[in-house]
Amino acid sequence: MDLNFPKAELHLHLEGTVEPETLQELALRHGMEAGAWTVAEIARRYQYEDFLGFLNAFKWVTQHLRTPEDYGLVTQRLLERLAAQNVRYAEIYFSAGICRWKKMPVEPVYEAIEAAGREAEPRLGIRARWIFDAVRQFGPEEAEEVVRLAVKYRGQGAVGIGIGGDEVQGPPEMFRRAYAMARAEGLRLTVHAGETAGPESIWGALRELGAERIGHGVAAVRDPELMAYLKERQIPVEVNVTSNYCTGAVAAGAEHPVRRMFEAGLSLVINSDDPAMFHTSINAEYARLVERHGFSEGEVRELARNSFRAAFLSEAEKAEYLGLCV
């Protein structure tokens, strides 16, 4: 089956797309002795037993992104890989919260990644837009600073905000003010929820934060009322199958709920989340649906159409992209 049809990707963390070869290149650029790291040794860092292990590895990768030029390079390489898979539009999470934690000025970093996106658009035929991502563990005040930065660049590629990280340490109620600020400024709203916490985290994202999309959302299947709510309102759920197995959000050997969610009539969008760190790609995620979860060609093509429908685009822009889908 040819899976190279036009698609969008809407749940994709820039820092989680850094391939081991690129991380080695950056380490050498910043003074690491040649041979100190092999690609195989870096790849072993991209193995996790649980969600906390993944968060620690993600933090380790970000510590080796030291200059705006580093961020520009990983953006360029990401967009080239996406374009090769016929991704025409991507909304990419940029962890402004991690930059602030590293005491790294956010503005030159964002300007470097946005410039790489603008350069790639005519060359590769892919449009990149950016979601400023805050980190739950850093608290609500830090999230508000991330919102202020996103507002600064609204109209310059920034389209929305998100929060990731540990749902238990940072329940959605903590971020009411940050999301109210973002909404008032016209930013679009997505929330990681129901990944490592239960349905109550998704309810909080919807009721307390006004989330327009839910990131992950696998816990929704534990609450029939929530499933009905998501179906009735057609609130998109950003599904990341391989990621969920790698972090333990879905136990090894357990059936991923993606098929159940699809058959229940939810609006699903398929994504790769942190493809380098989870050894996957967007086309591999679609292939996994077909090979392991019983999706037909017609169903995965419908999911690709959903990816454009759920994007933070105008209706006219969505119609333009949907016109590419046959």
Side-chain angles (χ1 to χ4, degrees):
M1 185 186 301
D2 181 11
L3 299 174
N4 220 41
F5 39 71
K7 60 183 74 68
E9 186 155 15
L10 306 181
H11 189 119
L12 180 64
H13 294 269
L14 177 65
E15 298 84 353
T17 72
V18 184
E19 298 286 347
E21 294 83 359
T22 299
L23 198 61
Q24 182 189 55
E25 180 181 337
L26 294 177
L28 294 173
R29 176 186 292 183
H30 296 303
M32 179 71 70
E33 291 184 13
W37 282 359
T38 66
V39 169
E41 286 167 344
I42 297 169
R44 278 195 289 274
R45 291 262 192 167
Y46 289 11
Q47 303 287 342
Y48 332 99
E49 295 184 357
D50 53 26
F51 186 68
L52 179 59
F54 164 69
L55 291 182
N56 287 333
F58 187 91
K59 180 173 72 173
W60 178 78
V61 170
T62 65
Q63 288 171 323
H64 297 285
L65 301 176
R66 299 184 182 179
T67 68
E69 291 75 20
D70 294 351
Y71 280 87
L73 176 65
V74 300
T75 301
Q76 173 193 327
R77 291 188 176 168
L78 165 62
L79 294 175
E80 289 169 350
R81 289 193 297 275
L82 291 178
Q85 299 172 87
N86 209 2
V87 173
R88 300 297 186 91
Y89 177 77
E91 289 173 3
I92 305 167
Y93 288 99
F94 158 55
S95 191
I98 291 281
C99 276
R100 286 181 52 79
W101 170 76
K102 292 192 297 183
K103 308 299 183 187
M104 189 173 187
V106 173
E107 290 87 347
V109 172
Y110 177 71
E111 288 162 14
I113 65 176
E114 201 274 330
R118 280 188 283 108
E119 184 278 331
E121 189 166 345
R123 178 168 62 89
L124 300 173
I126 180 172
R127 183 197 294 185
R129 293 295 180 263
W130 302 93
I131 296 174
F132 277 55
D133 198 33
V135 180
R136 287 175 140 97
Q137 302 93 289
F138 298 166
E141 292 79 13
E142 272 299 307
E144 289 164 25
E145 290 301 320
V146 170
V147 170
R148 292 185 182 98
L149 287 161
V151 169
K152 179 176 181 178
Y153 289 105
R154 183 172 176 267
Q156 299 177 59
V159 295
I161 63 159
I163 49 171
D166 190 331
E167 292 176 72
V168 176
Q169 287 192 51
E173 294 78 10
M174 289 175 57
F175 303 96
R176 289 190 193 100
R177 177 177 164 84
Y179 271 72
M181 290 167 53
R183 186 183 308 107
E185 294 291 344
L187 290 167
R188 308 297 297 273
L189 312 177
T190 182
V191 181
H192 286 52
E195 179 185 14
T196 57
E200 72 283 352
S201 181
I202 303 173
W203 281 121
L206 297 168
R207 291 171 169 169
E208 303 292 338
L209 304 183
E212 299 174 77
R213 292 198 313 243
I214 295 295
H216 294 283
V218 290
V221 294
R222 291 152 48 187
D223 185 340
E225 181 184 353
L226 177 56
M227 291 284 280
Y229 186 96
L230 293 169
K231 175 185 177 181
E232 178 186 352
R233 289 161 177 78
Q234 286 294 285
I235 296 166
V237 180
E238 305 159 2
V239 174
N240 309 276
V241 175
T242 298
S243 165
N244 294 154
Y245 282 113
C246 288
T247 64
V250 175
E255 180 65 22
H256 194 282
V258 60
R259 182 80 220 180
R260 183 176 167 190
M261 296 165 81
F262 180 80
E263 291 179 349
L266 272 62
S267 173
L268 304 185
V269 181
I270 303 305
N271 311 275
S272 61
D273 198 6
D274 301 274
M277 301 187 73
F278 296 136
H279 315 284
T280 190
S281 67
I282 186 61
N283 278 1
E285 293 300 298
Y286 278 93
R288 182 169 194 153
L289 294 183
V290 173
E291 294 163 5
R292 305 189 192 183
H293 300 286
F295 281 75
S296 68
E297 180 174 0
E299 288 171 337
V300 292
R301 285 181 177 273
E302 181 61 18
L303 290 169
R305 287 189 285 270
N306 278 353
S307 69
F308 294 119
R309 295 182 185 116
F312 293 150
L313 291 166
S314 70
E315 292 305 314
E317 290 169 319
K318 292 179 186 181
E320 182 180 347
Y321 282 114
L322 286 167
L324 303 173
C325 301
V326 295

